[in-house]
Amino acid sequence: MTVKMLAERRTGRLLGVQIVGREGAGKRVDIAAVALTAGMTAEQMTTLDLGYAPPFSPVWDPVLVAARKAAAKVRDARG
């Protein structure tokens, strides 16, 4: 699964998410849609508590991994 996350450089506000993959991609799109609708920042997304079941999802959800990377880039851009 590949997740691309775009956030506003100045504020970190989430602007868009693209997800390409097979199994589980739909669930991740729903997570992104809720975050976009709520006007969340990439940093806020890193604190989401998502459901976890070992047979169905990894410990580190791909959306949360992308959010952590996006939040780090926003912090770096702010200097």
Side-chain angles (χ1 to χ4, degrees), residues 11-30:
T11 65
R13 184 175 61 96
L14 195 61
L15 299 175
V17 179
Q18 293 177 333
I19 300 174
V20 178
R22 294 177 189 253
E23 193 172 317
K27 173 190 173 201
R28 273 73 180 203
V29 168
D30 288 343

Side-chain angles (χ1 to χ4, degrees), residues 30-56:
D30 288 343
I31 295 166
V34 169
L36 285 161
T37 301
M40 294 178 78
T41 65
E43 187 70 38
Q44 288 171 326
M45 283 195 71
T46 65
T47 63
L48 290 177
D49 188 14
L50 303 177
Y52 169 68
F56 307 109

Side-chain angles (χ1 to χ4, degrees), residues 47-68:
T47 63
L48 290 177
D49 188 14
L50 303 177
Y52 169 68
F56 307 109
S57 62
V59 173
W60 291 104
D61 190 274
V63 171
L64 296 182
V65 171
R68 285 191 358 232

